[in-house]
Amino acid sequence: MILITYRHLFEELIKEEGIRQDILKASLGKRGASYVIRHTGDLSNIDTKTETTPRLEVTIRKIKDMYLSGFELKPHKEVPINDGFKLKKRKIQKPTFFPEQIMTHGVVRVMEKAMMTGMYEFSCGSIPGRGPHYGKRHIEKWINNDPENVKYIGKMDIHHFFNSIKRRNLKKWLKRNIKDKRFLKILFKFLDIFIEGLALGYYISQWLANYLLQPLDHFIKQEVLLDVKKKKEQRYIARMKRKGIKNCKIPKYHCGATHYIRYMDDMVIFGDNKKELHLIIKRIEQFLNERLGLELKGDWQVFKFDYIDKNGERKGRPLDFMGFKFYRDKTTLRKSIMIRATRKAKKISKKPRPTWHDASSMLSYMGWIKHTDTYNMYLERIKPYVNIKQLKRIVSKHSKEAMENERMDSRVLHGETSGI
């Protein structure tokens, strides 16, 4: 893995136009909230690409002064939530809008190039443009175009990943890549207020988690899977020699990223040999322990992937990953997601009129259904209970009303506070 170093990040962090973009990004989806308007003013009736407000300009200068003169942060109490596709119980820390959310957007803005450079192509989750549908598209491509090397699957994840991250190791990696002490001082202030590992709830945590696992991705791609390729070539040559064939053309065996994908700390490796997958996982386990101070969950598994035999019977197991169930010939939704979508549809049907929350939630489920082979489920369990066109109208109307209310609230607030 080539080491690339970055300097002069602090100068980028304090640029006023960059800080302006950080504030706008941090305020997305909540510009009508009083705690946001307090620091940005009314952004609803201006073109944020070319226009500004007095309050926004004041906040930009405040953030810049804090970067230059220093600031202190205090840890927040953890709040329990149900997170992700499996609704895992997690504890998060909720950062304040000013200055924490704004500053973490700034840190990511400046660090993004450093974190994305060398990032594994099939590292998904919490990365722009690399969500579940990105991973789904590539897995389906491998299943369809390379069935010979998608016979067995190794599936694993890291035990208590975010909580188990050793900040000492993370800081060491960051110091190797970033040679800007003033920028690192600001970044480490956020790391030091996290109660344990990396705190869920902070925009920066997912980026740093992916950054920390980059060495693992490169180890799997460039060493482990490359070793598998070499062993296959050696076995082929030995087999040809036993047959008396000396000069033989070695088949093009696959290696590298084609058979490996990671969604945060959930990892999947495809292969054509069950024993090799067991050995690969053991090597991954050793690397995590020795290099990153992390450990795999004990329930990792290797299994034969779904296939249809000569008699037309379905054998093997589907891959349950990123909220999808992948089969040899189709992709469906995870059962828990389908159940939640069905329950939501039935609850909506019992109400005189769906609320905006009902409508937006149901339309979100429709996005999942649209990209999977679950249309029959939609026809049987959802369509009889909800009117999708009606839900879209409700969401559209709510958006217009929210913008109008935001304008009215801002006018009142400006009148009370002399416009600043």
Side-chain angles (χ1 to χ4, degrees), residues 120 154 156 214-233 235 253-260 267-288 291 296:
Y120 178 52
M156 70 213 92
Q214 279 192 35
L216 173 67
D217 295 333
H218 288 277
F219 171 73
I220 294 172
K221 178 184 175 182
Q222 297 174 355
E223 294 187 40
V224 177
L225 296 180
L226 188 60
D227 289 346
V228 171
K229 177 187 175 183
K230 290 178 180 177
K231 288 179 181 178
K232 288 180 179 179
E233 290 175 348
R235 286 201 299 266
Y253 292 109
H254 289 277
C255 70
T258 308
H259 299 90
Y260 166 59
M267 295 168 278
V268 171
I269 299 180
F270 299 91
D272 64 350
N273 187 292
K274 196 171 184 178
K275 289 183 179 179
E276 286 177 349
L277 285 176
H278 277 275
L279 293 174
I280 287 171
I281 292 174
K282 289 296 183 184
R283 291 188 65 183
I284 291 172
E285 192 170 34
Q286 183 180 3
F287 181 91
L288 284 170
R291 295 285 300 277
L296 285 181

Side-chain angles (χ1 to χ4, degrees), residues 17-169:
E17 181 55 34
I19 296 173
R20 183 174 186 273
Q21 296 305 315
D22 300 336
I23 296 170
L24 293 175
K25 280 188 176 181
S27 66
L28 283 176
K30 48 197 172 190
R31 289 179 180 172
S34 59
Y35 63 86
V36 174
I37 293 176
R38 192 180 306 126
H39 298 287
T40 65
D42 181 14
L43 301 176
S44 61
N45 56 358
I46 67 170
D47 182 356
T48 54
K49 292 182 180 179
T50 57
E51 299 178 274
T52 188
T53 66
R55 289 192 182 192
L56 181 59
E57 293 304 314
V58 169
T59 302
I60 291 170
R61 291 193 292 273
K62 283 183 178 178
I63 293 291
K64 184 175 180 178
D65 289 342
M66 291 175 76
Y67 284 142
L68 292 169
S69 59
F71 58 94
E72 296 299 324
L73 298 172
K74 294 181 180 179
H76 299 279
K77 291 182 179 180
E78 293 182 320
V79 179
I81 62 164
N82 294 321
D83 181 48
F85 310 119
K86 296 182 178 180
L87 296 180
K88 293 181 180 178
K89 294 187 180 297
R90 301 185 189 276
K91 291 183 178 180
I92 68 168
Q93 291 177 241
K94 290 186 176 181
T96 59
F97 174 73
F98 177 91
E100 294 173 349
Q101 290 184 28
I102 296 170
M103 285 184 166
T104 51
H105 274 80
V107 170
V108 171
R109 167 176 57 85
V110 174
M111 277 190 65
E112 186 171 346
K113 183 178 178 181
M115 289 188 282
M116 290 294 290
T117 301
M119 184 175 284
Y120 178 52
E121 182 183 3
F122 302 115
S123 168
C124 312
S126 303
I127 301 170
R130 295 196 193 179
H133 296 295
Y134 171 88
K136 169 182 172 288
R137 185 168 65 250
H138 288 286
I139 290 175
E140 289 176 336
K141 183 179 178 181
W142 302 339
I143 292 170
N144 294 328
N145 297 346
D146 190 19
E148 288 299 315
N149 289 284
V150 188
K151 289 183 177 180
Y152 294 93
I153 292 176
K155 189 170 182 287
M156 70 213 92
D157 64 334
I158 299 173
H159 182 66
H160 291 161
F161 176 48
F162 278 89
N163 291 341
S164 299
I165 288 174
K166 304 293 189 295
R167 291 198 291 267
R168 180 179 65 256
N169 293 340

